[in-house]
Amino acid sequence: MNDLLGDEILGPPGLTIEQQKKIAELQSQAANQSLRTPAAERFSVDRSEHSIYVGELDLDVNDSILREHFKTAINVHVCRDRVSGKSLGYAYVNFSTAEDCTNVLKNMNYSTINGRPYRLMMAEKDPSKRTTGTCNLVVKNLPTSVDEKSLYDTFSQWGNVVSCKVIKSPYAVRCYGYVNYDSISAAVRAIDIVNGAYLFGRQIEVSHQVPKSERASSFSEQAVKSQKFTNIYIKNIALDVTEDDLRELFSSIGPVSSIIIQRDDSNFSKGFGFANYESPEDAEKAIQQFHNYDYYGKKLFVTRAQKRSEREDELRRQHEYQPRIEKSPKYQGVNLYVKNLADDVDDERLREEFSRYGQITSAKVMREERSGVSKGFGFVCFASPEEATEAVVKMNGSKIASKEIYVAIAQRKEDRRQFLESQIAQQKNFLVPLSPRPQQLTPPPIIERNNNATTSAGNTDTSSPGSPFELTLASLESYSHETQRQIIGGRIYSIISDTYPQEASQLTNVLLEMDKDKLVQLINEPQKLKEKAKEAILLLY
């Protein structure tokens, strides 16, 4: 039987040798073709999955809500912050077929979840396509009634729109938006047709979106060529002033195309706003005429409006090219912080109470901006550090309008923080550790104070290293030079003022010329400090 059939029965049943050779040849060709195909294409999930980006989501939307909304999706993912776990407001939805993906984009774009419309677009994994502005358009001078859906429907007439977004500010009379096409030709066609045309009842401006980095460089070039502008920034506006009031004022210069006062969520004025003139000449005149102009009891601050990128560039240049200038020393050590003021104490009363200690350059009680109610604290600035030091010693703990006030040298936030940290460290150093064995409680020693020393039962050492009132060089290191000078001066004044009440300020100033190490040592030994003051008083007469 085998001899009759020959070699044709070799191989799988039903296949001849020639058929097997043909199959092997086809398999070899398919394998070679697969090897020539890039690995990214052979193993890409895009062949089996089609992903959609979902933006502008309500922050309460989770995966379950999204999965219930997109019923044909094979999986969904709401993107969240890695630290807090809060939603970032966007998600990705994957579909198994291109038909499902296309149907969702066509029929569900700008639908709502939790009462908020979302925005759909194909998920683009190539970041360069998202960042380049060749297909992205910016649409300006839109009315605030325009939303993403109406902008999408309008611009879809001139090409395939990938996504649309409208940017609105509260209480603004106009807004702007972005339109992203899938091709450059569609973007160019939309600019040619729509730019300068009337849409939504207004003349629309359409142009290519310029990346922020290029906008900054182009602005620098334009600033060199021309300084013309029409938009001005107005600050220090009285809280009861309205847009109509400002329009009436600034329209006296020339036609104003728009004017706005920035407001908070409760519709209260933030005290600043913007006005846009039709001509640059009118804008310049408005700055010249209304800067420092007294309006409703407040002096207006008016200048050219700057974009955030311009302000950041200007601050960056100042930081890079100008040396860092510390706060003017003439104000250091003369400004006092006064706390626990009664509600009826005003600027005049504050000045009157402190004027007995020297010449006051300014006195201010801080108040709530809207209600005008006192915040309970203020500042008094003297003409000299000696007068300020005397005022601290004499006024701290005194009463103004039946309330005991706290007075100290005004410090920067960094100095206050360092002071508190050093105080906490000192308190920890003087804590007595608890004994593991029970001890009999004894009453604390009775402390008696007189003008010369502090004594207690069983202890007459007034300058022991463990005293929490001891001043050390280590405790001063964390402060600035001027703050150290004020701390040392205050301690010197408090020690010698009882003995030399009339000359205490001048003596303190003389003693401060000594080395800091020697002064700290004298402060911890009050009797020696008084002897040194006795020597110094001879220099004054």
Side-chain angles (χ1 to χ4, degrees):
M1 185 70 178
N2 292 341
D3 294 337
L4 293 174
L5 296 175
D7 293 336
E8 292 195 4
I9 64 170
L10 295 177
L15 294 178
T16 64
I17 296 297
E18 294 298 328
Q19 290 173 326
Q20 295 178 50
K21 289 181 179 180
K22 186 65 174 177
I23 292 173
E25 183 180 353
L26 294 173
Q27 289 176 339
S28 177
Q29 293 176 357
N32 291 334
Q33 180 66 28
S34 176
L35 290 174
R36 286 193 294 269
T37 304
E41 294 185 17
R42 296 202 308 272
F43 304 107
S44 174
V45 296
D46 290 341
R47 289 192 170 191
S48 59
E49 295 183 358
H50 301 270
S51 184
I52 287 181
Y53 166 85
V54 188
E56 318 301 330
L57 283 174
D58 184 78
L59 298 182
D60 294 330
V61 174
N62 53 31
D63 291 356
S64 300
I65 296 176
L66 208 61
R67 192 178 296 108
E68 180 67 23
H69 188 77
F70 296 98
K71 299 184 183 299
T72 58
I74 58 176
N75 57 66
V76 300
H77 175 65
V78 176
C79 298
R80 299 182 177 276
D81 184 86
R82 292 183 179 181
V83 178
S84 64
K86 294 182 179 179
S87 170
L88 297 176
Y90 64 92
Y92 292 95
V93 180
N94 292 327
F95 298 89
S96 58
T97 65
E99 290 77 15
D100 291 341
C101 185
T102 303
N103 289 334
V104 168
L105 278 173
K106 183 178 180 180
N107 302 318
M108 300 185 67
N109 200 6
Y110 302 108
S111 299
T112 60
I113 299 180
N114 289 356
R116 180 172 180 174
Y118 56 78
R119 177 169 54 93
L120 298 180
M121 61 181 290
M122 290 296 298
E124 182 56 66
K125 297 182 179 180
D126 185 1
S128 62
K129 294 182 179 180
R130 297 195 301 267
T131 55
T132 55
T134 53
C135 300
N136 297 334
L137 303 182
V138 57
V139 187
K140 300 180 181 179
N141 202 33
L142 292 170
T144 55
S145 58
V146 173
D147 57 10
E148 283 88 355
K149 183 68 168 67
S150 57
L151 194 66
Y152 178 90
D153 293 341
T154 301
F155 279 82
S156 294
Q157 304 175 56
W158 302 288
N160 184 23
V161 176
V162 177
S163 69
C164 284
K165 187 171 184 179
V166 176
I167 309 298
K168 299 180 181 180
S169 298
Y171 313 110
V173 295
R174 60 181 176 177
C175 61
Y176 66 96
Y178 297 99
V179 178
N180 187 12
Y181 282 103
D182 64 348
S183 66
I184 300 177
S185 59
V188 173
R189 183 165 54 250
I191 292 176
D192 293 340
I193 297 175
V194 184
N195 186 34
Y198 281 85
L199 288 177
F200 311 107
R202 288 194 176 188
Q203 189 175 13
I204 304 300
E205 299 177 17
V206 184
S207 61
H208 286 289
Q209 180 190 2
V210 181
K212 186 176 181 180
S213 57
E214 297 180 14
R215 289 200 305 268
S217 60
S218 63
F219 170 78
S220 299
E221 296 174 359
Q222 294 173 3
V224 175
K225 297 178 181 179
S226 174
Q227 289 291 335
K228 291 186 177 181
F229 57 90
T230 58
N231 200 20
I232 62 174
Y233 169 68
I234 311 163
K235 189 174 70 170
N236 206 27
I237 303 172
L239 300 181
D240 55 344
V241 171
T242 65
E243 280 86 351
D244 293 336
D245 296 331
L246 276 187
R247 183 181 294 274
E248 181 180 355
L249 175 66
F250 284 89
S251 295
S252 61
I253 300 296
V256 176
S257 58
S258 65
I259 198 160
I260 185 172
I261 295 177
Q262 297 296 324
R263 301 179 181 275
D264 58 18
D265 296 337
S266 302
N267 200 22
F268 288 112
S269 170
K270 291 184 177 181
F272 70 93
F274 300 89
N276 191 22
Y277 281 93
E278 294 183 0
S279 71
E281 292 77 13
D282 291 341
E284 293 180 3
K285 290 179 182 178
I287 292 177
Q288 295 174 2
Q289 181 165 336
F290 294 124
H291 184 60
N292 286 330
Y293 182 77
D294 195 351
Y295 190 63
Y296 280 78
K298 302 188 76 172
K299 288 188 178 297
L300 297 179
F301 177 88
V302 185
T303 186
R304 180 177 71 87
Q306 290 180 303
K307 296 180 181 179
R308 177 179 295 180
S309 58
E310 297 177 45
R311 296 195 301 270
E312 291 175 351
D313 289 343
E314 184 176 345
L315 292 174
R316 192 180 301 111
R317 287 193 298 269
Q318 292 177 356
H319 179 74
E320 291 175 354
Y321 300 112
Q322 295 182 3
R324 186 173 181 179
I325 302 174
E326 296 293 338
K327 190 175 180 181
S328 176
K330 72 175 183 176
Y331 294 112
Q332 295 182 1
V334 298
N335 198 22
L336 303 185
Y337 169 69
V338 187
K339 188 173 67 171
N340 201 33
L341 292 172
D343 294 339
D344 56 348
V345 174
D346 56 10
D347 297 350
E348 292 300 325
R349 177 70 183 276
L350 191 64
R351 178 186 292 271
E352 180 184 349
E353 294 289 341
F354 280 83
S355 60
R356 70 190 73 170
Y357 302 107
Q359 180 184 355
I360 295 177
T361 59
S362 66
K364 177 74 173 178
V365 175
M366 306 307 295
R367 299 184 179 275
E368 297 289 346
E369 186 174 3
R370 293 194 179 93
S371 62
V373 177
S374 170
K375 292 183 178 181
F377 70 93
F379 297 91
V380 179
C381 190
F382 280 89
S384 68
E386 294 79 19
E387 296 171 348
T389 302
E390 183 179 1
V392 170
V393 175
K394 296 293 182 63
M395 291 296 291
N396 186 33
S398 63
K399 288 186 176 182
I400 298 180
S402 74
K403 292 189 71 173
E404 187 175 306
I405 63 172
Y406 169 83
V407 184
I409 299 293
Q411 295 175 300
R412 296 180 303 172
K413 185 176 181 180
E414 295 81 4
D415 289 339
R416 291 198 304 271
R417 178 179 57 80
Q418 293 174 359
F419 175 76
L420 292 174
E421 289 176 353
S422 64
Q423 290 291 96
I424 293 173
Q426 288 183 11
Q427 292 176 5
K428 289 181 179 179
N429 292 335
F430 297 119
L431 288 177
V432 179
L434 295 176
S435 173
R437 296 179 299 175
Q439 296 179 345
Q440 183 179 1
L441 296 177
T442 58
I446 300 174
I447 299 177
E448 299 176 353
R449 288 188 179 272
N450 54 39
N451 292 336
N452 297 323
T454 302
T455 60
S456 62
N459 181 18
T460 59
D461 186 6
T462 62
S463 59
S464 63
S467 171
F469 299 101
E470 181 183 6
L471 185 64
T472 63
L473 291 173
S475 65
L476 293 172
E477 289 180 355
S478 59
Y479 301 103
S480 64
H481 173 73
E482 188 62 32
T483 304
Q484 292 182 22
R485 181 180 174 88
Q486 292 303 320
I487 293 174
I488 295 173
R491 295 289 289 270
I492 293 174
Y493 187 94
S494 63
I495 294 174
I496 66 175
S497 59
D498 291 338
T499 307
Y500 305 101
Q502 301 296 329
E503 301 87 356
S505 296
Q506 294 176 318
L507 285 174
T508 300
N509 196 34
V510 172
L511 293 173
L512 282 173
E513 300 300 324
M514 298 174 58
D515 292 339
K516 181 171 63 176
D517 299 3
K518 183 64 176 178
L519 286 176
V520 170
Q521 181 181 354
L522 290 174
I523 289 172
N524 294 324
E525 299 180 26
Q527 192 58 39
K528 291 184 178 180
L529 178 61
K530 291 181 178 181
E531 293 175 0
K532 182 63 67 174
K534 185 178 181 180
E535 298 174 6
I537 201 171
L538 299 177
L539 300 175
L540 301 178
Y541 300 100

